[in-house]
Short mmCIF file of all heavy atoms in Angstrom, two decimals:
data_model
loop_
_atom_site.label_atom_id
_atom_site.label_comp_id
_atom_site.label_asym_id
_atom_site.label_seq_id
_atom_site.Cartn_x
_atom_site.Cartn_y
_atom_site.Cartn_z
N GLU O 5 114.21 111.79 72.68
CA GLU O 5 113.79 111.44 71.33
C GLU O 5 113.66 109.95 71.14
O GLU O 5 112.97 109.49 70.24
CB GLU O 5 114.78 112.04 70.32
CG GLU O 5 114.74 113.57 70.26
CD GLU O 5 115.68 114.12 69.21
OE1 GLU O 5 116.33 113.30 68.53
OE2 GLU O 5 115.77 115.35 69.08
N SER O 6 114.34 109.16 71.98
CA SER O 6 114.30 107.71 71.83
C SER O 6 113.10 107.09 72.54
O SER O 6 112.84 105.91 72.40
CB SER O 6 115.59 107.09 72.37
OG SER O 6 115.72 107.35 73.76
N THR O 7 112.38 107.90 73.31
CA THR O 7 111.21 107.39 74.01
C THR O 7 110.11 107.04 73.01
O THR O 7 109.80 107.82 72.13
CB THR O 7 110.69 108.44 75.02
OG1 THR O 7 111.75 108.77 75.92
CG2 THR O 7 109.52 107.89 75.80
N ARG O 8 109.53 105.87 73.18
CA ARG O 8 108.51 105.38 72.24
C ARG O 8 107.13 105.76 72.75
O ARG O 8 106.58 105.10 73.63
CB ARG O 8 108.66 103.87 72.08
CG ARG O 8 110.00 103.47 71.45
CD ARG O 8 110.32 102.01 71.65
NE ARG O 8 110.47 101.68 73.05
CZ ARG O 8 111.13 100.61 73.50
NH1 ARG O 8 111.69 99.77 72.65
NH2 ARG O 8 111.21 100.37 74.80
N LEU O 9 106.60 106.83 72.19
CA LEU O 9 105.31 107.35 72.63
C LEU O 9 104.25 107.15 71.56
O LEU O 9 104.55 107.12 70.37
CB LEU O 9 105.42 108.84 72.96
CG LEU O 9 106.44 109.23 74.05
CD1 LEU O 9 106.47 110.74 74.23
CD2 LEU O 9 106.11 108.53 75.36
N GLU O 10 103.01 107.01 72.01
CA GLU O 10 101.86 106.87 71.13
C GLU O 10 100.82 107.91 71.54
O GLU O 10 100.92 108.51 72.61
CB GLU O 10 101.24 105.47 71.25
CG GLU O 10 102.22 104.32 71.10
CD GLU O 10 102.77 104.17 69.69
OE1 GLU O 10 102.05 104.51 68.74
OE2 GLU O 10 103.92 103.70 69.55
N ALA O 11 99.83 108.11 70.69
CA ALA O 11 98.73 109.02 71.01
C ALA O 11 97.40 108.29 70.86
O ALA O 11 97.22 107.51 69.92
CB ALA O 11 98.76 110.25 70.10
N ILE O 12 96.52 108.56 71.79
CA ILE O 12 95.14 108.08 71.74
C ILE O 12 94.24 109.29 71.60
O ILE O 12 94.41 110.28 72.32
CB ILE O 12 94.78 107.31 73.03
CG1 ILE O 12 95.54 105.99 73.12
CG2 ILE O 12 93.28 107.06 73.12
CD1 ILE O 12 95.46 105.33 74.49
N VAL O 13 93.31 109.24 70.66
CA VAL O 13 92.29 110.28 70.53
C VAL O 13 90.95 109.63 70.83
O VAL O 13 90.48 108.76 70.09
CB VAL O 13 92.28 110.92 69.13
CG1 VAL O 13 91.16 111.97 69.03
CG2 VAL O 13 93.63 111.56 68.81
N LEU O 14 90.33 110.02 71.93
CA LEU O 14 89.05 109.44 72.33
C LEU O 14 87.92 110.13 71.56
O LEU O 14 87.69 111.33 71.71
CB LEU O 14 88.84 109.60 73.83
CG LEU O 14 89.82 108.83 74.73
CD1 LEU O 14 89.50 109.08 76.19
CD2 LEU O 14 89.80 107.33 74.42
N ALA O 15 87.22 109.34 70.75
CA ALA O 15 86.19 109.89 69.87
C ALA O 15 84.98 108.97 69.80
O ALA O 15 84.31 108.90 68.78
CB ALA O 15 86.77 110.12 68.48
N ALA O 16 84.71 108.27 70.90
CA ALA O 16 83.62 107.29 70.90
C ALA O 16 82.40 107.77 71.68
O ALA O 16 81.43 107.02 71.82
CB ALA O 16 84.11 105.96 71.47
N GLY O 17 82.44 108.99 72.19
CA GLY O 17 81.33 109.49 72.98
C GLY O 17 80.09 109.75 72.14
O GLY O 17 80.17 110.05 70.95
N ALA O 18 78.94 109.67 72.79
CA ALA O 18 77.67 109.85 72.08
C ALA O 18 77.32 111.32 71.84
O ALA O 18 76.48 111.63 71.00
CB ALA O 18 76.54 109.19 72.87
N GLY O 19 77.96 112.23 72.57
CA GLY O 19 77.67 113.64 72.41
C GLY O 19 76.23 113.98 72.75
O GLY O 19 75.57 114.75 72.04
N ARG O 20 75.74 113.44 73.86
CA ARG O 20 74.32 113.61 74.22
C ARG O 20 73.96 115.08 74.45
O ARG O 20 72.92 115.55 73.99
CB ARG O 20 73.98 112.78 75.45
CG ARG O 20 74.03 111.28 75.20
CD ARG O 20 73.62 110.48 76.43
NE ARG O 20 73.75 109.06 76.20
CZ ARG O 20 74.87 108.37 76.41
NH1 ARG O 20 75.95 108.99 76.84
NH2 ARG O 20 74.91 107.06 76.19
N ARG O 21 74.81 115.81 75.19
CA ARG O 21 74.50 117.21 75.46
C ARG O 21 74.53 118.05 74.19
O ARG O 21 73.86 119.07 74.09
CB ARG O 21 75.49 117.78 76.49
CG ARG O 21 75.19 117.36 77.92
CD ARG O 21 76.17 117.94 78.89
NE ARG O 21 77.49 117.32 78.76
CZ ARG O 21 78.55 117.65 79.51
NH1 ARG O 21 78.44 118.62 80.41
NH2 ARG O 21 79.69 117.03 79.36
N PHE O 22 75.29 117.59 73.21
CA PHE O 22 75.39 118.29 71.94
C PHE O 22 74.20 117.98 71.04
O PHE O 22 73.81 118.78 70.20
CB PHE O 22 76.70 117.89 71.24
CG PHE O 22 77.00 118.65 69.98
CD1 PHE O 22 77.65 119.87 70.03
CD2 PHE O 22 76.64 118.13 68.74
CE1 PHE O 22 77.94 120.56 68.86
CE2 PHE O 22 76.93 118.81 67.58
CZ PHE O 22 77.58 120.04 67.64
N GLY O 23 73.67 116.77 71.19
CA GLY O 23 72.58 116.32 70.33
C GLY O 23 73.03 115.31 69.30
O GLY O 23 72.33 115.05 68.32
N GLY O 24 74.19 114.68 69.53
CA GLY O 24 74.69 113.64 68.64
C GLY O 24 75.60 114.16 67.54
O GLY O 24 75.59 115.33 67.19
#
Side-chain angles (χ1 to χ4, degrees):
E5 292 183 1
S6 63
T7 303
R8 296 163 297 201
L9 302 178
E10 309 291 329
I12 291 167
V13 178
L14 295 179
R20 292 183 184 88
R21 283 180 289 180
F22 186 86

